[in-house]
Amino acid sequence: SLLCTKSFASYLYFFSRLPASRIEFLPVRRRGRRSTVAKNGKLSPDWSGSFPSGKKITVVFVIGGPGSGKGTQCAKIVSHFGFTHLSAGDLLREEVKSDTEQGTMIKNLMHEGKLVPSEIIVRLLLKAMLASGNDKFLIDGFPRNEENREAYEKIIKIEPEFVLLIDCSREEMERRILHRNQGRDDDNMETIRRRFEVFQQSTLPVIQHYEKMGKLRRVDGDRQPDMVFEDVKAVFAQLNTQANQGSNVSRAQTNPFKRWFLDLFCSCFDVADRRN
């Protein structure tokens, strides 16, 4: 019996030394589930998509007034940190071009300087996130108001890591919009001023909400883009540091057999496991 006990202990020790990635469990039979992505890479019309359970999804909101430089900074973040950039405004404009009933409704609202219903925006965002295949997202120009935020929390349910606020003066934003010549229908003085007013009235509560949560990261957007990005890089460097710290777990935590073996050993010999 002593020999059997030693053999069994050796067997357990062998598995406790294996990395978790080398351990395969018996497959569990699951009921089939229809894929939300068609063969052409597009989401099917009747989708009800969500991310895989347990998968870490990183979301960062980028907020700033019209002309604050959100798009420029997001392009730099994508290049340096591998995020997928999703602009709520761009997704809405793409929907307008689709020449659908929903697209026509969105076009009329944008011309009037009004905001599009939050559920429409959030579902467009979710579709784009699922179709991207990435797990790190910059959501630009969102949430613009408390209704946006509540719809996001209800439908997508992924808390942002932080909210990047590009703080830019109204005079500088107005100057940039009038000189950027992007050919956008809503880049006229009357609509610009309405957009400024809507941003100030609607987005301030969102900013205050995330500031109270300790998630607001503010940078000065009045400067040249490269100077602004130096501050932005510092913010995202902190995010990478936190992610690295989170991944430095012990092998006992990543290997279930080792964790079980240690627990068994400690219980048999009345030894306290002081590992965290």
Side-chain angles (χ1 to χ4, degrees):
S1 60
L2 179 61
L3 180 62
C4 291
T5 302
K6 288 183 178 180
S7 298
F8 182 64
S10 299
Y11 178 80
L12 291 177
Y13 180 77
F14 169 76
F15 276 100
S16 73
R17 304 298 296 174
L18 285 176
S21 59
R22 295 288 303 278
I23 301 172
E24 295 185 2
F25 296 93
L26 290 175
V28 178
R29 185 181 298 273
R30 299 178 183 272
R31 292 184 177 181
R33 189 177 68 175
R34 182 184 301 175
S35 173
T36 59
V37 182
K39 292 181 179 180
N40 61 4
K42 296 183 179 180
L43 290 159
S44 57
D46 58 344
W47 70 281
S48 57
S50 61
F51 290 99
S53 177
K55 183 176 183 180
K56 169 65 175 175
I57 304 296
T58 301
V59 173
V60 173
F61 293 149
V62 183
I63 296 177
S68 61
K70 299 186 299 295
T72 299
Q73 294 305 314
C74 285
K76 292 177 178 292
I77 294 167
V78 168
S79 177
H80 280 74
F81 298 103
F83 278 72
T84 292
H85 175 209
L86 298 175
S87 166
D90 287 347
L91 291 173
L92 289 171
R93 282 184 282 275
E94 289 176 11
E95 191 70 12
V96 167
K97 293 178 183 178
S98 67
D99 197 26
T100 61
E101 182 179 348
Q102 178 171 276
T104 301
M105 179 194 70
I106 293 172
K107 181 178 180 179
N108 293 336
L109 290 171
M110 292 174 70
H111 273 294
E112 295 170 7
K114 296 180 180 179
L115 296 178
V116 177
S118 296
E119 185 172 336
I120 292 176
I121 300 173
V122 172
R123 294 198 180 279
L124 288 174
L125 285 170
L126 181 55
K127 284 186 179 182
M129 291 168 74
L130 290 169
S132 74
N134 200 354
D135 58 5
K136 299 192 297 184
F137 301 97
L138 290 174
I139 303 184
D140 166 10
F142 182 92
R144 292 191 177 186
N145 53 37
E146 284 289 272
E147 184 184 327
N148 280 178
R149 181 182 65 79
E150 291 169 1
Y152 172 88
E153 292 175 355
K154 178 181 178 181
I155 296 172
I156 298 183
K157 304 176 184 178
I158 300 174
E159 185 175 327
E161 295 293 327
F162 60 83
V163 177
L164 179 65
L165 173 62
I166 302 179
D167 201 1
C168 194
S169 66
R170 179 166 178 166
E171 294 76 17
E172 178 62 19
M173 290 190 288
E174 186 173 312
R175 184 190 67 79
R176 291 175 183 177
I177 292 175
L178 292 175
H179 289 83
R180 67 186 179 183
N181 191 27
Q182 290 184 352
R184 281 172 47 174
D185 292 338
D186 54 348
D187 276 357
N188 60 74
M189 183 56 69
E190 183 180 353
T191 305
I192 288 170
R193 287 174 177 167
R194 281 202 299 266
R195 288 167 63 199
F196 281 143
E197 293 172 1
V198 169
F199 174 77
Q200 291 175 347
Q201 294 172 4
S202 302
T203 311
L204 182 60
V206 175
I207 294 171
Q208 292 173 337
H209 171 81
Y210 287 114
E211 190 167 25
K212 289 178 181 178
M213 294 179 65
K215 288 185 173 289
L216 190 69
R217 308 290 184 270
R218 190 188 304 260
V219 297
D220 180 4
D222 277 344
R223 300 166 298 164
Q224 292 297 315
D226 288 342
M227 296 178 65
V228 176
F229 189 58
E230 289 302 312
D231 289 348
V232 171
K233 280 196 296 186
V235 172
F236 277 83
Q238 293 176 0
L239 177 62
N240 284 346
T241 300
Q242 293 171 359
N244 290 335
Q245 290 175 347
S247 64
N248 291 332
V249 296
S250 68
R251 290 181 63 184
Q253 290 173 308
T254 58
N255 187 330
F257 281 101
K258 186 170 185 178
R259 178 73 266 171
W260 181 83
F261 177 74
L262 286 174
D263 290 342
L264 177 63
F265 178 85
C266 292
S267 63
C268 289
F269 295 96
D270 196 23
V271 177
D273 180 11
R274 300 184 182 276
R275 298 190 184 192
N276 294 326

